[in-house]
Amino acid sequence: MTLLRKIAVPLGAILVFLLLWEWLVWAKGWPDYKMASPSDLWPAFWKYRWLFLENGWQTLWRTVAGLLLAVVAGTGIGMVMGFSRLAREALYPLLVGFNAIPKATVVPIMALIFVGRHDFNTIMIAFMISFFPIAVSVSIGLSTLEPEYRDILRALGASQLTVFRKIALPKTLPEFFGALKVSVTLAFIGTNLMEIVSPHGRGLGALFDSGKISADYPLMFAVLIALAFLGIVLYYIVVALEKVFAGWAERAPG
Amino acid sequence: MTLLRKIAVPLGAILVFLLLWEWLVWAKGWPDYKMASPSDLWPAFWKYRWLFLENGWQTLWRTVAGLLLAVVAGTGIGMVMGFSRLAREALYPLLVGFNAIPKATVVPIMALIFVGRHDFNTIMIAFMISFFPIAVSVSIGLSTLEPEYRDILRALGASQLTVFRKIALPKTLPEFFGALKVSVTLAFIGTNLMEIVSPHGRGLGALFDSGKISADYPLMFAVLIALAFLGIVLYYIVVALEKVFAGWAERAPG
Amino acid sequence: MSAEIELRAVTHAYRTETGPLPVLRHLDVKMPPGSFTAFVGPSGCGKSTLTKLIAGLMRPDEGQVWLGGQMVRAPRATVGMAFQNPVLLEWRSILSNVLLPLEIVPNTLSRAARLDRARELLALVGLSEFEEKRPSELSGGMRQRASLCRALVHRPEVLILDEPFGALDAFTREDLWQTMARLRAEERFTAVLITHDLRESVFLADEIVVMSARPATIQYRMASRLPAARDLDILYTPEAVEMLATLRRQIQIAQGRDAA
Amino acid sequence: MSAEIELRAVTHAYRTETGPLPVLRHLDVKMPPGSFTAFVGPSGCGKSTLTKLIAGLMRPDEGQVWLGGQMVRAPRATVGMAFQNPVLLEWRSILSNVLLPLEIVPNTLSRAARLDRARELLALVGLSEFEEKRPSELSGGMRQRASLCRALVHRPEVLILDEPFGALDAFTREDLWQTMARLRAEERFTAVLITHDLRESVFLADEIVVMSARPATIQYRMASRLPAARDLDILYTPEAVEMLATLRRQIQIAQGRDAA
Amino acid sequence: QAETQVQLALDWKFEGPAAPYFAAIDNGHFAEAGLAVEVLAGQGSLDAIPKVATGAYPFGFADINSLIKFKDQNPDAPVVMVMMTYDKPPFAVIGRRSLGVEAPKDLEGKVLGAPPPDGAWAQFVPFAGASGIDMEKITVEPVGFPTREPMLAEGKVAAVTGFNFSSYLNLVRLGVPEDDISTILMADHGLELYGNGIIVNTDFAAANPELVKGFLAAVAAGWTDAIADPAAGAAMVIERNPAGDLDLETRRLQMVIDANVATPWVAEHGMGGIDPDRFERALVQIGETYDFAEAPDASAYFTDAYLPEGGFPLR
Ligand SMILES: Nc1ncnc2c1ncn2[C@@H]1O[C@H](COP(=O)(O)OP(=O)(O)OP(=O)(O)O)[C@@H](O)[C@H]1O
Ligand SMILES: Nc1ncnc2c1ncn2[C@@H]1O[C@H](COP(=O)(O)OP(=O)(O)OP(=O)(O)O)[C@@H](O)[C@H]1O
Ligand SMILES: [Mg+2]
Ligand SMILES: [Mg+2]
């Protein structure tokens, strides 16, 4: 029942959205080059199905690699900022400044500094664009931890790290995963930025570009939908992880 | 003392960062067109100071407008998702999918649909790219609110909205402002994306482009730094707002 | 300014992962307007659950709760509640925490009148000095007292107190009993008190209900035989001593020990 | 398996926005290894503050705290503490909450041994049925009992209990007194008990310290005249009754009322 | 014999005009010169130039006007053009006959759509000067790249600036009848500027002069192949551009050949070189809109040192 609901509700929402889109395009009579409608996309998907599979995979693995890096580094930076007020005051403006710089302009610089190392560059951009929300959420989780919670473990002589692992992290898990959901979408944007701005011929960005060259609007829209789809897949993986980790916290650990 | 510290620490951090940057460029002997160093940027700033002022203002107001929209809409969507499990399950995948689509590719579509309405388009992109973190944080803040807190007001027959205003919002204020800090940086990226991808000749993006046309690398880097600077300015405005709102919550309200 | 409370065949169970946990079984109690009823019973029997049902925070599985002649389907503004765990809002001062209900409940009080009311209550519980402090700067007992003020500030018709004096030392507690008795005479609410202190129940209540162990039924009801006007000495009168002895015995039975 | 606790001229004040709030003034107490000391005093006088100083969670402004011959500068693993407000971790089951200290404190117990220990303690306080429940599924009194188990699970040398039985009904409470007495004989910790229940302090403690109102000083110390082996009836012996009367009087003085 | 690995950084994506390089690969011209060449797509000339200037890639393909400005800003940058490919630059004004735009003069009194950072728009002032257009009489509407052709297709502007082979084909794709589209190539109306060509890292070239010569010869051979059979050339592009459209790229290639590469001057003098007098005039025209930091020096931008005498014959 609930499982059915868990699947039916999002599917229904997506369907409603697609129908609305189709209707909008139909009602406004927009041409393909303005906005393709969902029904135009199927031929594009079918025609290029192997390309979608391969390039989708290329994009996906680089995104996930960048995201993993972002989780590790974001958590690290977040911990430093959460535990030390000094670090927070010093790092926040730098990070905000760095993040306000459009990554599209950073891509060429990266591409020049690390010439030809496409995978590395792509993963780095995905990482750079997506670590900030995680760092912010971990830092806030730590700096707003109620003293009562902290004291439970501190009274036993536990280290800061232990307090983080046993109390702060699980307690901010919802916010952490919320940040991760934001980061997932950002990481996709990062990967694609690299694929489009500094093309290396792989990934969905390359497919988009190639659709753009031949003014194949349905293909371009199909790529965007494929990206959205991958984003949703990754989102559900994050949701599943959320369950696993909550489950782990639930059981009596050994 | 503490005020001095509050100013000195971030300034010091920024200075250290600039020095490191200068040193890196100097040590590696990188030319301007690979990576300009901070000392190269002053002449560019000085030469184009009026352009920086004017275009900076153009970028800033559009960003702020987009951000305000993002706060309002993000809070709204977040409230809907926070209060209703159904809405959460239905909307989350849609939002994630939408956000995984690189906004750089949405810009042309927007530009085509709303031809010539540059301000509107720019603000919309800034809004679209920045509302998600706010929606996520508000939704999590609401859906993880401890029942004890909720019951304090619910026992008095308070409406959901009142519970949100008096309990959920103040309680998640730290996370909300954390999300706002992320959104600030994203909104800047959005504004610039529009200015660069669908140029309408205004804003720092246009200045960047004109630097690019004449291969003026110090100018291009100077624009990026100006963006970072604006991001930091907006960040401190958010920090100040955080204080004001916390201050408001502190005093006995009337 | 007071309302009748009636429980009609109230039965409730919590749905837990391992199946339903029956908590209350077929409770029938009628508390007249202006009355003061104390509920006592073993830990975990369902007393706090009962308060939430009366406040309308939960709906019973079976049966109904009636307040002032209306069936309770949702919480209402005429109820004041002090929770067992006194949650205060950390981002507000103590005074502002106490003022909170007045921001929610429709009322015509001016700002000054509200402040007067809140300050007066805080003074009654000995927290005048701490009006502008944050909750985290208060001791456990002080927080409990602030939470009591919050329950009273909007002059509710029905007052629900879940172990309001649990963290207080004997004398502060006795002071507050007397404060409560005085307030009751002035404001005429109908009160429900959860307590584990039998002397407290005897001193304050018109009627004392002993609940059995979970799933709780009403095991014993005792109407007070004490006069309406009471001071602390009354607890040493033969009537009170006898009431206390009876209650002790009943609770022993409630917990499944032989009353012998 | 037990350590001496010594307070040497401990003075402490909280820094608040409106200036320092002196809480403890010049406390000197020595608690021998294996002893059981109860502190009683008015609400807000500084009892919880004292427990935090002993646990090393805070450093006193002046004076020192010594545990087992070492000056306390930071918390240590040999202390078990039950806080006045029993904070349980909502994302863990009750059993897992109780196991928490064993995950932190260095020890050589196998997983099975840890589980045995935790289950045994939960059984002692009557929570066997609730091992796998979440904290929010427990009543106030049940949470307090779980928190007590968490303080005991790693067999601490020093046990600090801040009103551990505050939310319990008389009989559950008396059961736990006896459980405590038995545990004490088996595990030989040095115990510090904060309570507002004089009977509790008389039943459990070797020495009872009455603290004055804030800023708290030691107003009165009373060594127990009761034999080491006690059952509940002992509270009705003339010695106990006399001790209770004395304590009542002293607290009355502590609160600034005339002892008359 | 082991082939030397070199890279060629293109200024743009894999479109029809990239066919000659792939022809040089697939038909073995590079291999004959002892080279294994990797071709990389790019994002505009100012993406390709730094790639070569930093030494990341030895060869690139870029617009000489961008190179001139780049060298003016960064005089020490080790990059120079060694072979001119687009004798006529692709800068154009694309108009619609039905909206009354056929010749430069027709622009007066009309609305011209131009993206501010557009390469063609950047040359509009010298073009207007040379063809006698009164700039005052033109309403210039800043448009975004994505909206440029759609706005022309919808008649919201009467003409746009753009590249002859991109904007034209985009318009065709948007359903504008071909006989309604007028392409005004600026080079046909007094604009003296040159277009794109092969650039090289000078440090690399100084160390490997023979390699560079061989590279250029192979590229020229690739052009010969592409001109001989544009469809085959375009097919080689499509191979590397998964979702490409063969007909479209064939047309694009043909347009580049006809309008930009195989010009009368090239037919006479061969491909690869430049006319120094025209180049001097071009520098003057650039100076109309761009403030040179230092006096322009033609030899810093182009060298024929690696070209054979008389250039490469195209047929
Ligand atoms: N939210 C809940 N979900 C599941 N079970 C619950 C929940 N709240 C309480 N219970 C269970 O219901 C029973 C009664 O709880 P309740 O809080 O009403 O007891 P109580 O009489 O107030 O006890 P105490 O005197 O200890 O506060 C307990 O066994 C408890 O485990
Ligand atoms: N974090 C804090 N900051 C400032 N003041 C505090 C803080 N914690 C406690 N106080 C103040 O210190 C005094 C003593 O508090 P403490 O919690 O030690 O009292 P207590 O004796 O435990 O009282 P109770 O019996 O009510 O729990 C109180 O007046 C309280 O307001
Ligand atoms: Mg309860
Ligand atoms: Mg206390």
Side-chain angles (χ1 to χ4, degrees):
Chain A
M1 226 333 269
T2 49
L3 189 71
L4 188 76
R5 198 188 111 150
K6 278 224 167 69
I7 295 173
V9 168
L11 274 188
I14 290 174
L15 211 72
V16 166
F17 171 75
L18 289 180
L19 285 177
L20 271 182
W21 176 7
E22 183 81 42
W23 173 83
L24 184 76
V25 173
W26 176 84
K28 292 255 181 182
W30 280 334
D32 270 359
Y33 63 84
K34 199 157 193 173
M35 169 112 55
S37 64
S39 57
D40 298 335
L41 306 186
W42 299 122
F45 275 121
W46 183 247
K47 186 162 164 206
Y48 300 109
R49 58 192 178 281
W50 300 116
L51 285 176
F52 269 103
L53 274 184
E54 178 179 337
N55 287 305
W57 165 244
Q58 295 277 353
T59 297
L60 190 62
W61 82 255
R62 289 196 188 84
T63 305
V64 171
L67 200 60
L68 289 181
L69 214 61
V71 169
V72 174
T75 309
I77 297 175
M79 280 178 71
V80 171
M81 293 203 303
F83 280 127
S84 151
R85 196 192 160 81
L86 188 76
R88 197 154 58 244
E89 280 170 6
L91 285 181
Y92 242 122
L94 279 183
L95 290 180
V96 168
F98 174 75
N99 277 282
I101 294 178
K103 292 300 157 299
T105 58
V106 176
V107 167
I109 302 171
M110 282 291 294
L112 271 181
I113 296 180
F114 303 100
V115 171
R117 296 167 60 185
H118 298 311
D119 288 348
F120 174 81
N121 282 339
T122 312
I123 292 171
M124 281 309 287
I125 290 286
F127 154 68
M128 278 200 260
I129 206 170
S130 63
F131 81 96
F132 188 52
I134 297 175
V136 169
S137 101
V138 170
S139 126
I140 290 176
L142 278 178
S143 59
T144 63
L145 186 65
E146 291 92 339
E148 295 101 82
Y149 279 89
R150 198 178 289 241
D151 282 353
I152 297 173
L153 286 199
R154 274 193 55 232
L156 295 165
S159 67
Q160 290 276 53
L161 198 74
T162 311
V163 173
F164 173 73
R165 220 159 39 88
K166 298 277 179 183
I167 309 262
L169 186 64
K171 190 153 197 300
T172 52
L173 223 56
E175 281 89 12
F176 176 84
F177 275 104
L180 199 55
K181 284 165 195 170
V182 172
S183 288
V184 160
T185 68
L186 289 178
F188 265 106
I189 293 184
T191 318
N192 259 270
L193 221 53
M194 193 49 141
E195 287 168 359
I196 291 181
V197 175
S198 175
H200 47 62
R202 273 164 293 177
L204 288 175
L207 200 57
F208 182 84
D209 251 358
S210 137
K212 198 167 174 180
I213 288 173
S214 37
D216 186 343
Y217 288 93
L219 174 58
M220 285 156 73
F221 276 92
V223 170
L224 296 189
I225 296 306
L227 279 171
F229 174 76
L230 284 186
I232 293 175
V233 167
L234 220 52
Y235 160 76
Y236 278 111
I237 293 178
V238 170
V239 168
L241 279 180
E242 200 174 354
K243 288 256 163 62
V244 170
F245 273 85
W248 159 83
E250 261 170 57
R251 282 175 288 111
Chain B
M1 233 321 277
T2 49
L3 189 72
L4 188 75
R5 199 190 111 148
K6 278 225 167 72
I7 295 171
V9 167
L11 275 188
I14 290 174
L15 212 72
V16 166
F17 171 76
L18 289 180
L19 284 177
L20 271 181
W21 176 6
E22 183 81 40
W23 173 83
L24 183 77
V25 173
W26 176 83
K28 293 254 182 185
W30 280 336
D32 273 358
Y33 46 87
K34 192 161 192 172
M35 169 109 62
S37 64
S39 58
D40 298 336
L41 305 185
W42 299 122
F45 275 122
W46 183 246
K47 186 162 162 203
Y48 300 108
R49 58 193 179 280
W50 298 118
L51 283 178
F52 270 103
L53 274 184
E54 176 176 339
N55 287 306
W57 165 244
Q58 294 278 352
T59 297
L60 191 62
W61 81 255
R62 289 194 190 85
T63 305
V64 171
L67 200 59
L68 289 182
L69 214 61
V71 169
V72 173
T75 309
I77 297 175
M79 280 178 70
V80 171
M81 292 204 303
F83 281 127
S84 151
R85 195 192 161 81
L86 187 76
R88 196 153 61 244
E89 280 170 6
L91 285 182
Y92 242 122
L94 279 183
L95 289 180
V96 168
F98 174 74
N99 278 282
I101 295 177
K103 293 301 158 299
T105 59
V106 176
V107 167
I109 301 171
M110 283 293 295
L112 273 179
I113 296 181
F114 303 100
V115 170
R117 296 167 60 186
H118 299 312
D119 287 348
F120 175 80
N121 283 340
T122 313
I123 292 171
M124 281 308 286
I125 289 286
F127 154 68
M128 279 201 260
I129 206 171
S130 62
F131 80 95
F132 189 52
I134 296 175
V136 169
S137 101
V138 170
S139 125
I140 290 176
L142 278 178
S143 61
T144 63
L145 185 66
E146 292 91 339
E148 295 101 81
Y149 279 89
R150 196 177 292 242
D151 282 352
I152 297 174
L153 285 199
R154 272 193 55 230
L156 295 166
S159 66
Q160 290 276 52
L161 199 74
T162 311
V163 173
F164 174 73
R165 220 158 40 87
K166 297 278 180 182
I167 310 262
L169 186 64
K171 191 153 194 304
T172 53
L173 224 55
E175 281 88 13
F176 176 84
F177 276 104
L180 200 55
K181 284 165 195 169
V182 172
S183 288
V184 161
T185 69
L186 289 178
F188 266 106
I189 292 184
T191 318
N192 258 271
L193 222 54
M194 192 49 135
E195 287 168 359
I196 290 180
V197 174
S198 175
H200 47 63
R202 273 164 293 177
L204 287 175
L207 200 56
F208 183 84
D209 260 351
S210 82
K212 198 164 172 180
I213 289 174
S214 44
D216 188 343
Y217 286 88
L219 175 58
M220 286 156 75
F221 276 92
V223 170
L224 297 190
I225 296 307
L227 280 171
F229 173 76
L230 284 186
I232 294 175
V233 167
L234 221 50
Y235 161 77
Y236 277 110
I237 292 178
V238 170
V239 168
L241 280 180
E242 200 174 354
K243 288 256 164 63
V244 170
F245 273 86
W248 158 82
E250 260 168 57
R251 281 174 290 112
Chain C
M1 280 291 278
S2 65
E4 188 190 51
I5 308 173
E6 198 182 343
L7 306 180
R8 291 193 192 155
V10 167
T11 295
H12 194 73
Y14 283 104
R15 266 156 293 278
T16 70
E17 274 171 28
T18 51
L21 180 84
V23 173
L24 299 176
R25 198 156 64 193
H26 224 82
L27 295 196
D28 272 301
V29 194
K30 201 162 182 168
M31 302 165 237
S35 66
F36 201 119
T37 311
F39 288 82
V40 296
S43 171
C45 74
K47 302 182 294 294
S48 298
T49 307
L50 182 66
T51 64
K52 286 182 191 158
L53 291 173
I54 297 176
L57 288 170
M58 300 193 305
R59 299 277 301 270
D61 288 349
E62 287 168 36
Q64 298 136 25
V65 177
W66 291 70
L67 278 195
Q70 290 182 300
M71 197 177 129
V72 173
R73 292 168 201 279
R76 41 183 82 177
T78 53
V79 170
M81 189 157 178
F83 294 88
Q84 185 170 11
N85 176 21
V87 179
L88 300 178
L89 308 181
E90 186 55 37
W91 56 92
R92 285 169 169 248
S93 68
I94 297 304
L95 182 62
S96 162
N97 261 287
V98 172
L99 283 168
L100 185 65
L102 291 177
E103 297 169 22
I104 312 298
V105 166
N107 67 77
T108 54
L109 292 182
S110 70
R111 181 170 157 67
R114 293 174 183 199
L115 281 173
D116 281 353
R117 168 78 178 159
R119 291 219 168 96
E120 184 191 345
L121 287 171
L122 283 170
L124 277 180
V125 302
L127 288 180
S128 285
E129 266 183 79
F130 291 85
E131 281 175 1
E132 289 309 324
K133 293 264 189 288
R134 328 224 114 229
S136 63
E137 293 178 327
L138 260 57
S139 77
M142 291 156 93
R143 281 181 222 180
Q144 217 170 26
R145 288 181 264 162
S147 154
L148 181 66
C149 295
R150 186 171 61 191
L152 285 162
V153 74
H154 58 300
R155 298 180 197 271
E157 292 175 19
V158 169
L159 183 65
I160 305 174
L161 306 174
D162 194 351
E163 309 217 9
F165 313 118
L168 299 175
D169 61 292
F171 287 95
T172 311
R173 179 184 299 222
E174 288 171 3
D175 282 351
L176 285 177
W177 293 351
Q178 288 168 302
T179 307
M180 277 307 298
R182 206 166 53 236
L183 275 172
R184 187 190 162 196
E186 287 167 15
E187 313 205 346
R188 303 261 355 124
F189 40 73
T190 313
V192 175
L193 171 75
I194 309 293
T195 182
H196 56 257
D197 183 337
L198 298 182
R199 294 173 72 241
E200 184 169 301
S201 67
V202 168
F203 180 79
L204 284 172
D206 306 326
E207 175 162 29
I208 299 158
V209 179
V210 180
M211 294 167 81
S212 70
R214 175 168 31 84
T217 53
I218 291 178
Q219 132 139 13
Y220 183 76
R221 295 177 61 162
M222 175 194 268
S224 182
R225 290 188 293 273
L226 304 180
R230 305 172 190 177
D231 59 21
L232 282 174
D233 291 336
I234 211 166
L235 287 171
Y236 302 99
T237 60
E239 289 89 353
V241 171
E242 202 205 302
M243 281 171 74
L244 281 168
T246 313
L247 287 172
R248 269 187 81 82
R249 221 170 323 122
Q250 287 298 333
I251 290 194
Q252 220 155 349
I253 298 171
Q255 293 192 313
R257 301 163 206 244
D258 241 7
Chain D
M1 279 292 278
S2 66
E4 188 190 53
I5 308 172
E6 200 184 342
L7 306 179
R8 291 194 194 155
V10 166
T11 294
H12 194 73
Y14 283 105
R15 266 158 293 279
T16 70
E17 275 173 28
T18 51
L21 181 82
V23 173
L24 299 175
R25 199 156 63 194
H26 224 80
L27 296 196
D28 272 301
V29 194
K30 201 163 184 169
M31 302 165 236
S35 67
F36 201 120
T37 311
F39 288 80
V40 296
S43 172
C45 73
K47 303 181 296 293
S48 298
T49 307
L50 182 66
T51 64
K52 286 182 190 156
L53 291 172
I54 297 176
L57 289 169
M58 301 194 302
R59 299 276 301 272
D61 288 349
E62 287 168 37
Q64 298 135 26
V65 178
W66 291 69
L67 278 196
Q70 290 182 299
M71 197 177 129
V72 173
R73 291 169 201 277
R76 40 183 81 177
T78 53
V79 170
M81 189 157 177
F83 293 88
Q84 184 169 11
N85 177 21
V87 178
L88 300 177
L89 308 181
E90 186 55 36
W91 55 93
R92 286 168 167 249
S93 69
I94 297 304
L95 183 62
S96 164
N97 261 287
V98 172
L99 282 168
L100 185 65
L102 291 177
E103 296 169 23
I104 311 299
V105 166
N107 67 77
T108 55
L109 291 182
S110 70
R111 179 169 158 69
R114 292 174 182 197
L115 280 173
D116 281 351
R117 168 78 178 161
R119 291 219 168 95
E120 186 191 343
L121 287 171
L122 282 170
L124 278 180
V125 302
L127 289 180
S128 285
E129 265 182 82
F130 291 86
E131 283 175 1
E132 289 307 324
K133 292 264 190 292
R134 326 225 115 229
S136 63
E137 293 179 327
L138 260 56
S139 77
M142 291 157 97
R143 282 181 221 180
Q144 217 170 25
R145 288 181 265 163
S147 154
L148 180 66
C149 295
R150 186 171 63 191
L152 284 163
V153 74
H154 58 301
R155 297 182 197 272
E157 292 174 19
V158 170
L159 183 66
I160 306 174
L161 306 174
D162 194 350
E163 309 217 9
F165 313 119
L168 299 175
D169 60 293
F171 287 95
T172 311
R173 178 185 299 223
E174 286 170 4
D175 283 350
L176 286 177
W177 292 352
Q178 287 167 305
T179 306
M180 276 308 297
R182 207 165 54 236
L183 276 172
R184 187 190 161 195
E186 286 167 16
E187 314 203 347
R188 304 261 354 123
F189 40 73
T190 312
V192 174
L193 171 74
I194 309 294
T195 182
H196 56 256
D197 183 336
L198 298 181
R199 295 173 71 242
E200 184 169 300
S201 67
V202 167
F203 181 80
L204 286 171
D206 306 325
E207 177 164 28
I208 299 155
V209 179
V210 179
M211 295 168 80
S212 72
R214 173 167 33 84
T217 52
I218 292 181
Q219 133 139 12
Y220 183 75
R221 295 175 62 160
M222 175 194 270
S224 182
R225 290 187 292 273
L226 304 180
R230 306 171 190 179
D231 60 18
L232 281 173
D233 290 338
I234 211 167
L235 287 170
Y236 302 100
T237 61
E239 288 89 354
V241 170
E242 202 206 301
M243 280 171 72
L244 282 168
T246 312
L247 287 172
R248 268 187 82 81
R249 218 167 327 118
Q250 285 299 334
I251 291 195
Q252 220 157 348
I253 297 171
Q255 293 191 311
R257 299 163 207 247
D258 242 8
Chain E
Q1 138 220 6
E3 291 177 341
T4 312
Q5 297 276 344
V6 292
Q7 297 86 16
L8 169 66
L10 290 189
D11 66 334
W12 200 236
K13 301 160 191 175
F14 292 170
E15 295 185 341
Y21 315 109
F22 297 128
I25 294 173
D26 292 357
N27 297 339
H29 303 311
F30 281 132
E32 276 167 37
L35 295 172
V37 176
E38 184 194 352
V39 183
L40 297 120
Q43 279 286 313
S45 292
L46 272 165
D47 179 39
I49 295 170
K51 280 180 184 165
V52 175
T54 54
Y57 302 104
F59 295 102
F61 183 71
D63 170 32
I64 194 162
N65 307 295
S66 301
L67 179 69
I68 290 167
K69 292 173 189 168
F70 181 87
K71 287 281 288 186
D72 184 55
Q73 299 279 342
N74 307 281
D76 301 328
V79 57
V80 71
M81 186 173 286
V82 289
M83 175 176 172
M84 178 56 67
T85 311
Y86 292 174
D87 182 48
K88 282 191 191 172
F91 312 132
V93 174
I94 317 289
R96 285 180 59 184
R97 294 196 163 83
S98 58
L99 297 174
V101 177
E102 214 160 342
K105 267 290 190 190
D106 299 339
L107 290 173
E108 290 180 359
K110 305 260 166 37
V111 182
L112 175 71
D118 179 40
W121 168 245
Q123 325 303 345
F124 193 83
V125 171
F127 160 70
S131 53
I133 305 173
D134 184 355
M135 287 285 284
E136 299 289 309
K137 293 187 181 153
I138 303 178
T139 314
V140 178
E141 169 83 25
V143 297
F145 289 113
T147 45
R148 171 167 57 187
E149 287 87 8
M151 281 182 80
L152 180 56
E154 286 170 16
K156 293 205 174 98
V157 294
V160 296
T161 63
F163 283 8
N164 58 335
F165 52 80
S166 314
S167 288
Y168 183 92
L169 291 174
N170 283 341
L171 280 174
V172 175
R173 283 268 155 160
L174 296 181
V176 180
E178 293 202 31
D179 52 17
D180 189 23
I181 306 173
S182 58
T183 304
I184 304 168
L185 199 62
M186 293 183 185
D188 293 337
H189 299 273
L191 191 74
E192 303 276 15
L193 305 189
Y194 274 97
N196 296 37
I198 302 286
I199 57 174
V200 69
N201 184 289
T202 49
D203 298 336
F204 177 86
N208 308 283
E210 290 311 312
L211 189 156
V212 174
K213 284 179 190 166
F215 183 91
L216 296 185
V219 169
W223 272 108
T224 317
D225 294 350
I227 290 168
D229 187 352
M236 294 176 194
V237 177
I238 298 303
E239 237 176 75
R240 289 156 172 98
N241 174 3
D245 176 332
L246 181 60
D247 291 337
L248 180 74
E249 298 313 330
T250 310
R251 281 203 70 181
R252 208 193 303 268
L253 176 57
Q254 190 65 58
M255 290 178 83
V256 168
I257 292 169
D258 294 344
N260 308 103
V261 176
T263 59
W265 191 88
V266 169
E268 189 179 330
H269 299 93
M271 181 190 187
I274 56 168
D275 171 0
D277 296 337
R278 175 182 160 194
F279 197 47
E280 285 302 334
R281 293 197 298 276
L283 290 178
V284 172
Q285 283 190 340
I286 291 175
E288 286 180 33
T289 51
Y290 175 79
D291 287 329
F292 279 99
E294 292 164 39
D297 168 17
S299 67
Y301 315 132
F302 187 89
T303 172
D304 57 7
Y306 303 93
L307 294 172
E309 196 62 36
F312 298 106
L314 272 193
R315 268 175 257 266

